[in-house]
C-alpha cells in the first residue's frame, strides 16, 4: 500500500509496532518526528529506539559489511553511502531490484523533491517499489544483534540532539568571517605560489585556470605535503591513482590529521591554501549554506568511517579546526541565551582502549598511577618525567607501527627536536621489552588483518583493514574503534535529558549546550557518565574524562578550562 497518511504509522508505533527505513536516522525518522510534533502525536526518537521499535537498515548494513580502510578512496562518506544504499544493500543480500525509477529526474521536472505531486504515476510507482525493497531488505537482514540494537539507541540520541535540535550560529560573526575569508583566500593563493612553487601556467605558456589540477601543480602540492612530514600514501587518491584534492578528500584528510596528536599546524594551512586555489568553499561558506531559519545548523551524523567514527556533515563539524590556533573557527557556534557550551573529552582514550585489549600487566599499570600516560611512559621507558613531550610523540608512533626513522622525522616537524635516532630506536626496543603482551597483541591484529579477517573493537563492532597496510592500520583501527564505542558508552550512560544537550561530537569530544542554572549538576552528571572501567575481558582500564568551558562559544570553551 502506498499512502501519504501518517496517522496509521503513529497508531502502529503507539501499539508497540516496529518501523524500518533506510537511512531512517538521517531522514525518515526525523521527518516523522517533525510531523508528529505538528500533528500533536507522540514520536519520541530515543524512547522508541530504546524500546527496539526503530530499525535503520543502513546502519545494520554498515555493521554487517564494514567499510574497508584504503587511503584516499575507501574512507569517503559518499563512497560508503553508495556501497550501502538501499539498492546496493538489496543486491548484496541477493534481492532482485528491478526497475526503481529516477527520483532525481522527477524532482528536476517538478522543480524540487517537495514539489512532486503525490499522485504522480511515476512517483507512486517509485514509492511502491522502494517500499517493497525496504520490506525485502528488512526481512532478509532478520533479527538485530545486541550491538545493532545498541546502535539504534545511539543513533536516536545523536539524531535527536545534533540533527533535530541543531547548533546555534552567531550569524553576524559568520558574515564577518566570510568577508575576511575573501582576503585570506587571495593571500593563501599567493603563499602557495611563492612558498611551494605552485605553477600558474601550462606547458604552452597559457595561464592555468586550475593550477592545482595540472600535473605539475599536483606534484608541487605532493612535495609541499611531504615537506611537512606526510607520506604520499596518506594523500587521498582518485580511482586512477592521481592525487585527489577536492573538497571531500581534503575534508577527510583534515579530519584524519585533526584526530592525531602533534600534527604540524602548517599542514592545516596548506590544506586551507589548496582549498583556496581550488575555489573550494571555506568552513564559513559551508556553515552559512546550512544555517536554517531557526539560526541553527542541523548536521547529519552517520558512522561512515571504518572504525565506526562518525561523519558529521551538512555542515561537517569535524573540519572546524582545534589545534594550532584553528579553534577560533569554532567561535561561530554559540550557546542560546541563558546557556553555555562545555566540551568534554575522554583522556588518552585510544591508548586506554589498546591497553584494555592487550591486557599487558605492565602497560595497564601506566593508567592507574598518579601520572598521565605520556608522563608515565617517560618515566618507565625514558627514565625521567622531563621527557614527557618526547614520550607523547613516540607513544603515538609505537602504537600505530611507525618506525624509528619516521618517528624522528615526525618529532622534529612538531617541534620535539630533542628526539634523536638513538632515542627513537631505544624507545621502540624498550617498549617491546617492557610490554611484551602489547607487542604480541599488535602482531596478532596485524596477522588477522593480513588474512582478511574482520577485527572486533571489543563491543561487537566489525572493522576491516587493508591487508597490505595491516601493520599500521590494524592497531590503529582497534584503538580508534575501541575509543569510538567508549564514547558511545558514555553517551548511553548519560541521563536522557542530559544526552539531549549534545550539540556536536568530534572524535573523543562531546560539546553540550547546558542551561546556566544547571551547569554544575550537568557537568557532574556527564563526568560521571564518562568515568568507568572497561575491558573486553580481563582487567578493566579506568576510563577518565576532562572538560573545557563553560563558555558562550565553542571556540572560547578551550580558553575556559574546567
Amino acid at each position: 500500500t502506498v499512502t501519504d497518511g501518517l496517522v496509521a504509522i503513529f497508531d502502529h508505533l503507539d501499539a508497540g509496532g516496529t518501523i524500518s527505513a533506510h537511512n531512517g536516522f538521517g531522514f525518515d525518522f526525523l521527518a516523522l518526528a517533525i510531523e508528529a510534533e505538528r500533528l500533536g502525536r507522540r514520536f519520541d526518537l530515543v524512547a522508541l529506539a530504546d524500546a527496539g521499535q526503530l530499525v535503520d537498515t543502513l546502519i545494520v548494513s554498515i555493521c554487517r559489511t564494514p567499510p574497508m580502510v584504503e587511503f584516499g578512496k575507501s574512507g569517503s562518506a559518499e563512497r560508503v553511502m553508495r556501497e550501502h544504499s538501499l539498492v546496493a544493500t538489496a543486491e548484496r543480500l541477493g534481492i532482485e531490484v528491478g526497475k526503481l525509477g529516477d527520483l532525481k529526474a522527477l524532482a528536476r521536472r517538478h522543480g524540487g523533491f517537495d514539489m512532486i505531486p503525490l499522485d504522480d504515476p511515476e512517483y507512486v510507482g517509485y514509492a511502491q517499489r522502494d517500499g517493497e525493497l525496504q520490506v525485502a531488505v528488512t526481512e532478509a537482514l532478520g533479527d538485530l544483534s545486541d550491538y545493532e540494537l545498541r546502535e539504534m539507541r545511539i543513533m536516536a540520541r545523536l539524531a535527536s540532539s545534533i540533527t533535530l535540535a541543531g547548533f546555534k550560529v552567531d550569524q553576524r560573526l559568520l558574515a564577518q568571517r566570510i568577508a575576511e575569508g575573501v582576503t585570506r583566500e587571495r593571500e593563501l593563493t599567493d603563499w602557495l605560489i611563492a612558498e611551494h612553487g605552485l605553477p600558474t601556467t601550462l606547458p604552452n605558456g597559457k595561464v592555468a585556470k586550475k593550477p592545482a589540477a595540472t600535473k605539475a601543480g599536483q606534484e608541487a602540492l605532493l612535495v609541499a605535503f611531504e615537506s611537512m612530514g606526510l607520506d604520499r600514501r596518506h594523500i587521498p587518491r582518485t580511482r586512477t591513482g592521481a592525487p585527489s584534492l577536492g573538497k571531500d578528500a581534503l575534508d577527510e584528510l583534515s579530519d584524519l590529521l585533526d584526530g592525531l596528536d602533534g600534527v604540524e599546524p602548517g599542514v592545516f594551512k596548506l590544506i586551507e591554501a589548496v582549498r583556496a586555489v581550488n575555489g573550494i568553499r571555506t568552513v564559513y561558506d559551508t556553515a552559512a549554506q546550512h544555517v536554517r531559519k531557526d539560526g541553527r545548523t542541523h548536521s547529519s551524523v552517520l558512522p561512515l568511517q571504518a572504525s565506526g567514527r562518525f561523519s558529521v556533515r551538512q555542515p561537517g563539524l569535524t573540519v572546524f579546526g582545534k589545534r594550532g590556533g584553528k579553534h577560533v573557527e569554532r567561535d561561530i557556534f554559540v550557546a542560546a541565551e541563558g546557556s553555555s557550551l562545555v566540551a568534554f573529552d575522554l583522556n588518552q582514550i585510544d591508548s586506554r582502549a589498546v591497553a584494555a585489549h592487550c591486557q599487558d600487566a605492565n602497560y595497564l599499570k601506566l593508567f592507574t598511577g598518579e601520572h598521565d600516560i605520556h608522563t608515565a611512559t617517560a618515566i618507565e621507558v625514558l627514565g625521567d618525567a622531563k621527557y614527557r613531550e618526547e614520550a607523547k610523540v613516540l607513544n603515538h608512533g609505537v602504537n600505530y607501527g611507525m618506525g624509528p626513522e619516521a618517528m624522528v622525522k615526525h618529532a622534529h616537524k612538531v617541534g620535539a627536536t630533542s628526539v634523536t635516532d638513538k632515542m627513537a630506536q631505544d624507545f621502540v626496543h624498550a617498549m617491546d621489552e617492557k610490554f611484551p603482551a602489547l607487542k604480541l597483541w599488535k602482531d596478532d591484529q596485524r596477522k588477522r588483518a593480513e588474512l582478511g579477517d574482520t577485527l572486533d573493537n571489543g563491543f561487537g563492532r566489525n572493522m576491516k583493514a587493508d591487508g597490505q597496510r595491516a601493520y599500521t592500520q590494524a592497531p590503529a583501527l582497534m584503538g580508534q574503534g575501541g575509543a569510538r564505542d567508549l564514547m558511545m558508552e558514555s553517551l548511553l550512560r548519560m541521563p536522557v535529558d542530559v544526552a539531549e544537550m549534545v550539540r556536536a561530537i568530534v572524535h573523543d569530544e562531546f560539546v553540550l549546550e547546558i542551561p546556566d542554572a544547571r551547569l554544575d549538576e550537568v557537568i557532574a552528571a556527564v563526568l560521571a557518565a564518562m568515568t568507568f572501567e572497561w575491558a573486553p575481558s580481563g582487567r578493566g582500564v579506568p576510563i577518565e574524562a576532562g572538560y573545557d568551558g563553560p563558555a558562550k562559544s565553542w571556540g572560547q570553551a578551550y580558553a575556559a578550562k574546567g
Side-chain angles (χ1 to χ4, degrees), residues 163-243:
T163 309
L164 280 180
F167 208 159
K168 186 178 179 182
V169 173
D170 182 336
Q171 295 186 69
R172 181 176 296 180
L173 178 60
L174 176 58
Q176 177 185 325
R177 293 282 175 86
I178 289 173
E180 293 170 350
V182 174
T183 301
R184 173 69 171 168
E185 285 178 4
R186 286 197 296 266
E187 293 173 347
L188 285 168
T189 301
D190 292 342
W191 172 78
L192 203 54
I193 293 168
E195 187 72 19
H196 295 289
L198 182 71
T200 58
T201 58
L202 299 171
N204 61 11
K206 292 183 178 181
V207 175
K209 292 181 179 180
K210 294 185 177 181
T214 66
K215 187 174 182 180
Q218 290 179 344
E219 180 61 26
L221 293 178
L222 288 175
V223 171
F225 278 114
E226 285 183 319
S227 73
M228 295 184 183
L230 268 74
D231 192 298
R232 288 194 179 207
R233 66 191 177 89
H234 289 154
I235 306 302
R237 301 277 173 170
T238 66
R239 286 194 175 95
T240 62

Side-chain angles (χ1 to χ4, degrees), residues 373-535:
I373 179 62
H374 304 307
T375 302
T377 306
I379 294 170
E380 180 71 17
V381 180
L382 298 178
D384 199 311
K386 69 181 182 181
Y387 295 116
R388 182 189 183 280
E389 291 308 307
E390 289 84 353
K392 182 177 180 180
V393 176
L394 297 171
N395 259 329
H396 182 80
V398 165
N399 272 351
Y400 290 172
M402 192 181 291
E405 184 178 345
M407 284 186 191
V408 173
K409 186 176 180 180
H410 176 65
H412 289 188
K413 288 293 181 182
V414 299
T417 55
S418 58
V419 174
T420 64
D421 289 343
K422 186 176 186 307
M423 178 184 286
Q425 290 170 358
D426 290 347
F427 190 88
V428 171
H429 294 148
M431 287 289 289
D432 288 346
E433 289 179 1
K434 291 180 177 293
F435 310 118
L438 170 60
K439 181 181 184 302
L440 288 173
W441 174 82
K442 288 189 291 186
D443 289 343
D444 180 59
Q445 301 309 308
R446 289 161 179 155
K447 288 177 183 176
R448 292 181 58 200
E450 287 171 356
L451 293 172
D453 294 344
T454 55
L455 305 175
D456 186 327
N457 74 346
F459 285 85
R461 184 175 200 90
N462 291 324
M463 303 175 297
K464 194 82 170 174
D466 180 347
Q468 294 183 332
R469 295 189 173 97
Y471 193 84
T472 55
Q473 284 187 9
L477 270 182
M478 291 297 286
Q480 293 170 4
R484 182 268 195 194
D485 268 324
L486 286 166
M487 282 288 287
M488 294 305 99
E489 190 68 17
S490 300
L491 180 69
L492 292 172
R493 286 165 53 89
M494 293 180 196
V496 171
D497 67 319
V498 171
E500 284 287 339
M501 300 177 192
V502 173
R503 296 294 174 260
I505 176 173
V506 181
H507 305 310
D508 59 356
E509 176 182 326
F510 286 121
V511 183
L512 274 71
E513 182 179 29
I514 305 172
D516 290 335
R518 296 184 63 189
L519 268 173
D520 291 343
E521 167 212 339
V522 172
I523 288 173
V526 175
L527 291 177
M530 298 178 77
T531 304
F532 52 97
E533 284 200 356
W534 177 80

Side-chain angles (χ1 to χ4, degrees), residues 1-3 100 103 106 116-131:
T1 300
V2 178
T3 178
L100 201 60
L103 189 62
L106 198 58
I116 301 173
L118 296 180
D119 60 355
D120 182 294
E122 285 188 47
Y123 177 71
V124 172
Y126 175 90
Q128 180 77 53
R129 184 58 189 142
D130 190 69

